[in-house]
Amino acid sequence: MKKDSLLYRVFDLYYDGFRNMKLGRTLWAIIIVKLIIIFAVLKVFFFPNFLKEHAQGDEAGYVATQILNQ
């Protein structure tokens, strides 16, 4: 890739910025930990698999029945 191309300059800007940051690494680590907590832990405890509990193997049939009955 040529050094004067736009794609290379954009990549170099972000690469240099992430390489030289000190506080930013800590902040990115906190953000990643928060996302893991939100999407993994909270989903397990607060959002149970409703379809699996009520459909008993025939998920498509259960959904079709629920849609047609309403």
Side-chain angles (χ1 to χ4, degrees):
M1 189 163 31
K2 292 188 225 175
K3 290 193 178 213
D4 60 342
S5 71
L6 178 65
L7 187 61
Y8 180 80
R9 289 185 299 175
V10 169
F11 171 76
D12 190 45
L13 173 76
Y14 281 100
Y15 181 75
D16 189 42
F18 281 115
R19 185 180 57 201
N20 290 328
M21 74 169 129
K22 304 288 185 255
L23 177 65
R25 290 182 184 168
T26 306
L27 295 176
W28 275 108
I30 291 170
I31 290 169
I32 291 170
V33 168
K34 280 184 166 183
L35 288 174
I36 290 171
I37 289 171
I38 289 171
F39 289 112
V41 175
L42 291 179
K43 182 185 182 314
V44 170
F45 291 114
F46 294 108
F47 302 107
N49 194 346
F50 180 82
L51 190 59
K52 190 178 213 179
E53 294 172 2
H54 291 86
Q56 289 131 3
D58 185 26
E59 288 90 2
Y62 179 77
V63 171
T65 305
Q66 293 299 311
I67 290 174
L68 294 174
N69 288 339
Q70 294 193 25

Coordinates of all heavy atoms in Angstrom, one line a residue:
M1 N 0.8 -1.2 0.0 CA 0.0 0.0 0.0 C 0.9 1.2 0.0 O 1.9 1.3 0.7 CB -0.9 -0.1 1.2 CG -1.9 1.0 1.3 SD -3.3 0.8 2.4 CE -2.7 -0.1 3.8
K2 N 0.5 2.2 -0.8 CA 1.3 3.4 -0.9 C 1.1 4.3 0.4 O 0.0 4.3 1.0 CB 0.8 4.3 -2.1 CG 1.1 3.7 -3.4 CD 0.8 4.7 -4.4 CE 0.1 4.1 -5.6 NZ -0.3 5.0 -6.6
K3 N 2.2 5.0 0.8 CA 2.1 5.8 2.0 C 1.3 7.1 1.8 O 1.0 7.7 2.8 CB 3.5 6.1 2.4 CG 4.3 4.9 3.0 CD 5.5 5.3 3.7 CE 6.2 4.1 4.2 NZ 6.8 4.3 5.5
D4 N 1.0 7.4 0.6 CA 0.2 8.7 0.4 C -1.2 8.4 0.2 O -2.0 9.3 0.0 CB 0.8 9.5 -0.8 CG 0.8 8.7 -2.1 OD1 0.7 7.5 -2.0 OD2 0.9 9.3 -3.1
S5 N -1.6 7.1 0.2 CA -3.1 6.8 0.0 C -3.9 7.2 1.2 O -3.4 7.2 2.4 CB -3.3 5.4 -0.4 OG -3.0 4.5 0.8
L6 N -5.1 7.5 1.0 CA -6.0 7.9 2.1 C -6.2 6.7 3.2 O -6.1 7.0 4.4 CB -7.4 8.3 1.6 CG -8.4 8.7 2.6 CD1 -7.9 10.0 3.3 CD2 -9.7 8.9 2.0
L7 N -6.3 5.5 2.7 CA -6.5 4.4 3.6 C -5.3 4.2 4.5 O -5.4 4.0 5.7 CB -6.8 3.1 2.8 CG -7.1 1.9 3.6 CD1 -8.4 2.1 4.3 CD2 -7.3 0.7 2.7
Y8 N -4.1 4.3 3.9 CA -2.9 4.2 4.7 C -2.8 5.3 5.8 O -2.4 5.1 6.9 CB -1.6 4.2 3.9 CG -0.4 4.1 4.7 CD1 0.0 2.8 5.1 CD2 0.4 5.2 5.0 CE1 1.2 2.7 5.9 CE2 1.6 5.1 5.7 CZ 2.0 3.8 6.2 OH 3.1 3.7 6.9
R9 N -3.1 6.5 5.4 CA -3.0 7.7 6.3 C -4.0 7.5 7.5 O -3.7 7.8 8.6 CB -3.2 9.0 5.6 CG -2.0 9.3 4.7 CD -2.2 10.7 4.1 NE -3.4 10.7 3.3 CZ -4.0 11.7 2.6 NH1 -3.4 12.9 2.7 NH2 -5.0 11.6 1.9
V10 N -5.2 7.0 7.2 CA -6.2 6.8 8.2 C -5.8 5.7 9.2 O -5.8 5.9 10.4 CB -7.6 6.5 7.6 CG1 -8.6 6.0 8.7 CG2 -8.1 7.7 6.9
F11 N -5.3 4.6 8.6 CA -4.8 3.5 9.4 C -3.6 4.0 10.3 O -3.5 3.7 11.5 CB -4.3 2.3 8.6 CG -3.6 1.3 9.3 CD1 -4.3 0.4 10.1 CD2 -2.2 1.2 9.3 CE1 -3.6 -0.6 10.9 CE2 -1.5 0.2 10.0 CZ -2.2 -0.7 10.8
D12 N -2.7 4.7 9.7 CA -1.5 5.2 10.5 C -1.9 6.2 11.6 O -1.3 6.1 12.7 CB -0.6 5.9 9.5 CG 0.8 6.2 10.2 OD1 1.3 5.3 10.8 OD2 1.3 7.4 10.0
L13 N -2.9 7.0 11.3 CA -3.4 7.9 12.4 C -3.9 7.1 13.6 O -3.6 7.4 14.7 CB -4.6 8.8 11.8 CG -5.3 9.7 12.8 CD1 -4.4 10.9 13.1 CD2 -6.6 10.1 12.2
Y14 N -4.8 6.1 13.3 CA -5.3 5.4 14.5 C -4.3 4.5 15.1 O -4.2 4.4 16.3 CB -6.5 4.5 14.0 CG -7.8 5.3 13.9 CD1 -8.2 5.7 12.6 CD2 -8.5 5.6 15.0 CE1 -9.4 6.5 12.5 CE2 -9.7 6.4 14.9 CZ -10.1 6.8 13.6 OH -11.2 7.5 13.5
Y15 N -3.4 3.9 14.3 CA -2.4 3.0 14.9 C -1.4 3.8 15.8 O -1.1 3.4 16.9 CB -1.6 2.4 13.7 CG -0.5 1.5 14.2 CD1 -0.8 0.2 14.7 CD2 0.9 1.9 14.1 CE1 0.2 -0.6 15.2 CE2 1.9 1.0 14.6 CZ 1.5 -0.2 15.1 OH 2.5 -1.1 15.5
D16 N -1.0 5.0 15.3 CA -0.1 5.8 16.1 C -0.8 6.3 17.3 O -0.2 6.4 18.4 CB 0.3 7.0 15.2 CG 1.4 7.8 15.9 OD1 2.3 7.2 16.5 OD2 1.4 9.0 15.9
G17 N -2.1 6.7 17.2 CA -2.8 7.2 18.4 C -3.0 6.1 19.4 O -2.8 6.4 20.6
F18 N -3.4 4.9 19.1 CA -3.5 3.8 20.1 C -2.2 3.4 20.6 O -2.1 3.0 21.8 CB -4.2 2.6 19.4 CG -5.7 2.8 19.3 CD1 -6.3 2.9 18.1 CD2 -6.5 2.9 20.5 CE1 -7.7 3.1 18.0 CE2 -7.9 3.1 20.4 CZ -8.5 3.2 19.1
R19 N -1.1 3.5 19.9 CA 0.2 3.0 20.3 C 0.7 4.0 21.4 O 1.4 3.6 22.4 CB 1.1 2.9 19.2 CG 2.5 2.4 19.6 CD 3.4 2.3 18.4 NE 3.5 3.7 17.8 CZ 3.9 3.9 16.5 NH1 4.2 2.9 15.8 NH2 4.0 5.1 16.1
N20 N 0.4 5.3 21.3 CA 1.0 6.3 22.2 C 0.1 6.6 23.4 O 0.6 7.4 24.2 CB 1.3 7.5 21.4 CG 2.5 7.3 20.4 OD1 3.4 6.5 20.7 ND2 2.4 8.0 19.3
M21 N -1.1 6.1 23.5 CA -1.9 6.5 24.6 C -1.6 5.7 25.8 O -1.2 4.6 25.8 CB -3.4 6.4 24.2 CG -3.9 5.0 24.2 SD -5.7 5.2 24.0 CE -6.0 4.1 22.7
K22 N -1.7 6.4 27.0 CA -1.4 5.8 28.3 C -2.7 5.6 29.0 O -3.1 4.5 29.4 CB -0.5 6.7 29.1 CG 0.8 7.0 28.4 CD 1.7 5.8 28.3 CE 3.1 6.1 27.8 NZ 3.3 5.7 26.4
L23 N -3.4 6.7 29.3 CA -4.7 6.6 30.0 C -5.8 5.9 29.2 O -6.6 5.2 29.7 CB -5.2 8.0 30.4 CG -6.5 8.2 31.1 CD1 -6.4 7.5 32.5 CD2 -6.9 9.6 31.2
G24 N -5.7 6.1 27.9 CA -6.7 5.5 27.0 C -6.8 4.0 27.1 O -7.9 3.4 27.0
R25 N -5.7 3.3 27.3 CA -5.7 1.9 27.5 C -6.5 1.4 28.7 O -7.2 0.5 28.6 CB -4.2 1.3 27.6 CG -3.5 1.4 26.3 CD -2.1 0.9 26.4 NE -1.4 1.1 25.2 CZ -0.1 1.0 25.0 NH1 0.6 0.6 26.1 NH2 0.5 1.2 23.9
T26 N -6.3 2.1 29.8 CA -7.1 1.8 31.0 C -8.6 2.1 30.7 O -9.4 1.2 31.1 CB -6.6 2.7 32.1 OG1 -5.2 2.5 32.3 CG2 -7.3 2.3 33.4
L27 N -8.9 3.1 30.0 CA -10.3 3.4 29.8 C -10.9 2.4 28.8 O -12.1 2.0 29.0 CB -10.4 4.9 29.2 CG -10.0 6.0 30.1 CD1 -10.1 7.3 29.4 CD2 -10.9 6.0 31.4
W28 N -10.2 2.0 27.8 CA -10.7 0.9 26.9 C -10.9 -0.4 27.7 O -11.8 -1.1 27.4 CB -9.7 0.7 25.7 CG -10.0 1.7 24.6 CD1 -9.2 2.8 24.3 CD2 -11.1 1.7 23.8 NE1 -9.8 3.4 23.2 CE2 -11.0 2.8 22.9 CE3 -12.3 0.9 23.6 CZ2 -11.9 3.1 21.9 CZ3 -13.2 1.2 22.7 CH2 -13.0 2.3 21.8
A29 N -10.0 -0.7 28.6 CA -10.2 -1.9 29.4 C -11.4 -1.8 30.2 O -12.2 -2.8 30.3 CB -8.9 -2.1 30.3
I30 N -11.7 -0.7 30.8 CA -12.9 -0.5 31.6 C -14.2 -0.6 30.7 O -15.1 -1.3 31.1 CB -12.9 0.9 32.3 CG1 -11.8 0.9 33.4 CG2 -14.3 1.2 32.9 CD1 -11.6 2.2 34.0
I31 N -14.1 -0.1 29.5 CA -15.2 -0.2 28.6 C -15.5 -1.6 28.2 O -16.6 -2.1 28.2 CB -15.0 0.7 27.3 CG1 -15.0 2.2 27.7 CG2 -15.9 0.4 26.2 CD1 -14.5 3.1 26.6
I32 N -14.4 -2.4 27.9 CA -14.6 -3.8 27.5 C -15.2 -4.6 28.7 O -16.0 -5.4 28.4 CB -13.3 -4.3 27.0 CG1 -12.9 -3.7 25.6 CG2 -13.3 -5.8 26.9 CD1 -11.5 -3.9 25.1
V33 N -14.7 -4.4 29.9 CA -15.2 -5.1 31.0 C -16.7 -4.8 31.2 O -17.5 -5.7 31.5 CB -14.4 -4.8 32.3 CG1 -15.1 -5.3 33.5 CG2 -13.0 -5.4 32.2
K34 N -17.1 -3.5 31.1 CA -18.5 -3.1 31.2 C -19.3 -3.8 30.2 O -20.4 -4.3 30.5 CB -18.6 -1.6 31.1 CG -18.3 -0.9 32.3 CD -18.6 0.6 32.1 CE -18.6 1.4 33.3 NZ -19.0 2.8 33.1
L35 N -18.9 -3.9 28.9 CA -19.6 -4.5 27.9 C -19.8 -6.0 28.1 O -20.9 -6.6 27.9 CB -19.0 -4.3 26.5 CG -19.1 -2.9 26.0 CD1 -18.3 -2.8 24.7 CD2 -20.6 -2.5 25.7
I36 N -18.8 -6.6 28.6 CA -18.9 -8.1 29.0 C -19.9 -8.3 30.1 O -20.7 -9.2 30.0 CB -17.5 -8.6 29.4 CG1 -16.6 -8.7 28.2 CG2 -17.6 -10.0 30.1 CD1 -15.1 -9.0 28.5
I37 N -19.9 -7.4 31.1 CA -20.9 -7.5 32.2 C -22.3 -7.3 31.6 O -23.2 -8.0 31.9 CB -20.5 -6.5 33.3 CG1 -19.3 -6.9 34.0 CG2 -21.7 -6.4 34.3 CD1 -18.7 -5.9 35.0
I38 N -22.4 -6.3 30.8 CA -23.8 -6.0 30.3 C -24.3 -7.1 29.5 O -25.4 -7.6 29.6 CB -23.8 -4.7 29.5 CG1 -23.6 -3.5 30.5 CG2 -25.0 -4.5 28.7 CD1 -23.3 -2.2 29.8
F39 N -23.5 -7.6 28.5 CA -24.1 -8.5 27.5 C -24.0 -10.0 28.0 O -24.8 -10.8 27.6 CB -23.3 -8.4 26.2 CG -23.7 -7.1 25.5 CD1 -22.8 -6.1 25.3 CD2 -25.0 -7.0 25.0 CE1 -23.1 -5.0 24.6 CE2 -25.4 -5.8 24.3 CZ -24.4 -4.8 24.2
A40 N -23.1 -10.3 28.9 CA -23.0 -11.7 29.3 C -23.7 -12.0 30.6 O -24.6 -12.8 30.7 CB -21.5 -12.1 29.4
V41 N -23.4 -11.2 31.7 CA -23.9 -11.5 33.0 C -25.4 -11.1 33.1 O -26.2 -11.8 33.6 CB -23.0 -10.8 34.0 CG1 -23.6 -10.9 35.4 CG2 -21.6 -11.3 34.0
L42 N -25.7 -9.9 32.7 CA -27.1 -9.4 32.8 C -28.0 -10.3 31.9 O -29.2 -10.5 32.3 CB -27.2 -8.0 32.4 CG -26.5 -7.0 33.4 CD1 -26.7 -5.6 32.9 CD2 -27.1 -7.1 34.8
K43 N -27.6 -10.7 30.8 CA -28.5 -11.5 29.9 C -28.8 -12.8 30.6 O -29.9 -13.3 30.6 CB -27.8 -11.8 28.6 CG -28.7 -12.6 27.7 CD -28.0 -13.0 26.4 CE -28.9 -13.7 25.5 NZ -29.6 -14.8 26.0
V44 N -27.8 -13.4 31.3 CA -28.1 -14.7 31.9 C -29.1 -14.6 33.1 O -30.0 -15.4 33.3 CB -26.7 -15.3 32.4 CG1 -27.0 -16.5 33.3 CG2 -25.8 -15.7 31.3
F45 N -28.9 -13.5 33.9 CA -29.7 -13.4 35.1 C -31.1 -12.7 34.9 O -32.0 -13.0 35.6 CB -28.9 -12.7 36.2 CG -27.8 -13.5 36.7 CD1 -26.5 -13.1 36.5 CD2 -28.1 -14.7 37.4 CE1 -25.5 -13.9 37.0 CE2 -27.0 -15.4 37.9 CZ -25.7 -15.0 37.7
F46 N -31.1 -11.7 34.0 CA -32.4 -10.9 33.9 C -33.2 -11.2 32.6 O -34.3 -10.7 32.5 CB -32.0 -9.4 33.9 CG -31.5 -9.0 35.3 CD1 -30.1 -8.7 35.4 CD2 -32.3 -9.0 36.4 CE1 -29.6 -8.4 36.6 CE2 -31.8 -8.6 37.6 CZ -30.5 -8.3 37.7
F47 N -32.7 -11.9 31.6 CA -33.4 -12.2 30.4 C -33.4 -13.7 30.1 O -32.6 -14.2 29.3 CB -32.8 -11.4 29.2 CG -32.7 -10.0 29.5 CD1 -31.5 -9.3 29.7 CD2 -33.8 -9.2 29.4 CE1 -31.4 -8.0 29.9 CE2 -33.8 -7.8 29.6 CZ -32.6 -7.2 29.9
P48 N -34.3 -14.4 30.8 CA -34.4 -15.9 30.6 C -34.9 -16.2 29.2 O -35.5 -15.4 28.5 CB -35.4 -16.3 31.6 CG -36.2 -15.1 31.9 CD -35.3 -14.0 31.7
N49 N -34.6 -17.4 28.8 CA -35.1 -17.8 27.4 C -36.5 -18.2 27.5 O -36.9 -19.4 27.7 CB -34.2 -19.0 26.9 CG -34.3 -19.2 25.5 OD1 -35.3 -18.7 24.9 ND2 -33.4 -20.0 24.9
F50 N -37.4 -17.3 27.3 CA -38.8 -17.5 27.4 C -39.3 -18.5 26.4 O -40.2 -19.3 26.7 CB -39.5 -16.1 27.1 CG -41.0 -16.2 27.2 CD1 -41.6 -16.2 28.5 CD2 -41.8 -16.3 26.1 CE1 -43.0 -16.2 28.6 CE2 -43.2 -16.4 26.2 CZ -43.8 -16.4 27.5
L51 N -38.8 -18.5 25.2 CA -39.3 -19.4 24.1 C -38.9 -20.8 24.5 O -39.7 -21.7 24.3 CB -38.7 -19.0 22.8 CG -39.2 -19.6 21.6 CD1 -40.7 -19.4 21.5 CD2 -38.6 -19.1 20.3
K52 N -37.8 -21.0 25.0 CA -37.3 -22.4 25.3 C -38.2 -23.0 26.5 O -38.5 -24.1 26.5 CB -35.8 -22.4 25.7 CG -35.2 -23.7 25.9 CD -33.8 -23.6 26.2 CE -33.0 -24.7 25.7 NZ -31.6 -24.6 26.0
E53 N -38.6 -22.1 27.4 CA -39.4 -22.6 28.5 C -40.8 -22.9 28.1 O -41.4 -23.8 28.7 CB -39.4 -21.5 29.6 CG -38.1 -21.3 30.3 CD -38.1 -20.1 31.2 OE1 -39.2 -19.5 31.4 OE2 -37.0 -19.8 31.8
H54 N -41.4 -22.2 27.2 CA -42.8 -22.3 26.9 C -43.1 -23.2 25.6 O -44.2 -23.7 25.5 CB -43.4 -21.0 26.7 CG -43.5 -20.2 28.0 ND1 -42.5 -19.5 28.5 CD2 -44.5 -20.2 28.9 CE1 -42.9 -19.0 29.7 NE2 -44.1 -19.4 30.0
A55 N -42.1 -23.3 24.7 CA -42.4 -24.0 23.5 C -42.2 -25.5 23.6 O -42.8 -26.2 22.8 CB -41.5 -23.4 22.4
Q56 N -41.4 -26.0 24.4 CA -41.1 -27.4 24.6 C -40.7 -28.1 23.3 O -41.3 -29.1 22.9 CB -42.3 -28.1 25.3 CG -42.5 -27.7 26.7 CD -43.9 -27.3 27.0 OE1 -44.8 -27.4 26.2 NE2 -44.1 -26.9 28.2
G57 N -39.8 -27.5 22.6 CA -39.2 -28.2 21.4 C -39.8 -27.7 20.1 O -39.1 -27.8 19.1
D58 N -41.0 -27.2 20.0 CA -41.6 -26.7 18.8 C -41.7 -25.2 18.8 O -42.8 -24.6 18.9 CB -43.0 -27.3 18.6 CG -43.6 -27.0 17.2 OD1 -42.8 -26.7 16.3 OD2 -44.8 -27.0 17.1
E59 N -40.5 -24.5 18.6 CA -40.5 -23.1 18.7 C -41.3 -22.4 17.6 O -42.0 -21.4 17.9 CB -39.1 -22.5 18.7 CG -38.3 -22.8 20.0 CD -37.6 -24.1 20.0 OE1 -37.6 -24.8 18.9 OE2 -36.9 -24.5 21.0
A60 N -41.1 -22.9 16.4 CA -41.8 -22.3 15.3 C -43.3 -22.4 15.4 O -44.1 -21.4 15.2 CB -41.4 -22.9 14.0
G61 N -43.8 -23.5 15.8 CA -45.2 -23.7 16.1 C -45.8 -22.9 17.2 O -46.9 -22.3 17.1
Y62 N -45.0 -22.7 18.2 CA -45.4 -21.9 19.4 C -45.5 -20.4 18.9 O -46.5 -19.7 19.2 CB -44.4 -22.0 20.5 CG -44.8 -21.2 21.7 CD1 -45.8 -21.6 22.6 CD2 -44.1 -20.0 22.0 CE1 -46.2 -20.8 23.7 CE2 -44.5 -19.2 23.1 CZ -45.5 -19.6 23.9 OH -45.8 -18.8 25.0
V63 N -44.6 -19.9 18.2 CA -44.6 -18.6 17.7 C -45.8 -18.3 16.8 O -46.5 -17.3 16.9 CB -43.2 -18.2 17.1 CG1 -43.3 -16.8 16.4 CG2 -42.1 -18.2 18.1
A64 N -46.0 -19.3 15.9 CA -47.1 -19.1 14.9 C -48.4 -19.1 15.7 O -49.3 -18.3 15.3 CB -47.1 -20.3 13.9
T65 N -48.6 -20.0 16.6 CA -49.8 -20.0 17.4 C -50.0 -18.7 18.2 O -51.1 -18.1 18.2 CB -49.8 -21.2 18.5 OG1 -49.5 -22.4 17.8 CG2 -51.1 -21.3 19.2
Q66 N -49.0 -18.2 18.8 CA -49.1 -16.9 19.5 C -49.4 -15.7 18.6 O -50.2 -14.8 19.0 CB -47.8 -16.6 20.3 CG -47.6 -17.6 21.4 CD -48.7 -17.6 22.5 OE1 -49.1 -16.5 22.9 NE2 -49.1 -18.8 22.8
I67 N -48.8 -15.7 17.4 CA -49.1 -14.6 16.5 C -50.5 -14.7 16.0 O -51.2 -13.7 15.9 CB -48.1 -14.6 15.3 CG1 -46.7 -14.2 15.8 CG2 -48.5 -13.7 14.2 CD1 -45.6 -14.4 14.8
L68 N -51.0 -15.9 15.6 CA -52.3 -16.0 15.0 C -53.4 -15.8 16.1 O -54.5 -15.4 15.7 CB -52.5 -17.4 14.4 CG -51.6 -17.6 13.2 CD1 -51.7 -19.1 12.7 CD2 -52.0 -16.6 12.1
N69 N -53.2 -16.1 17.3 CA -54.2 -15.9 18.4 C -54.4 -14.5 18.8 O -55.3 -14.2 19.5 CB -53.8 -16.8 19.6 CG -54.1 -18.3 19.4 OD1 -54.8 -18.6 18.4 ND2 -53.4 -19.1 20.1
Q70 N -53.5 -13.6 18.4 CA -53.6 -12.2 18.9 C -54.0 -11.4 17.8 O -54.6 -11.0 17.1 CB -52.3 -11.7 19.4 CG -51.9 -12.4 20.6 CD -50.7 -11.8 21.3 OE1 -50.5 -10.6 21.2 NE2 -50.0 -12.5 22.1

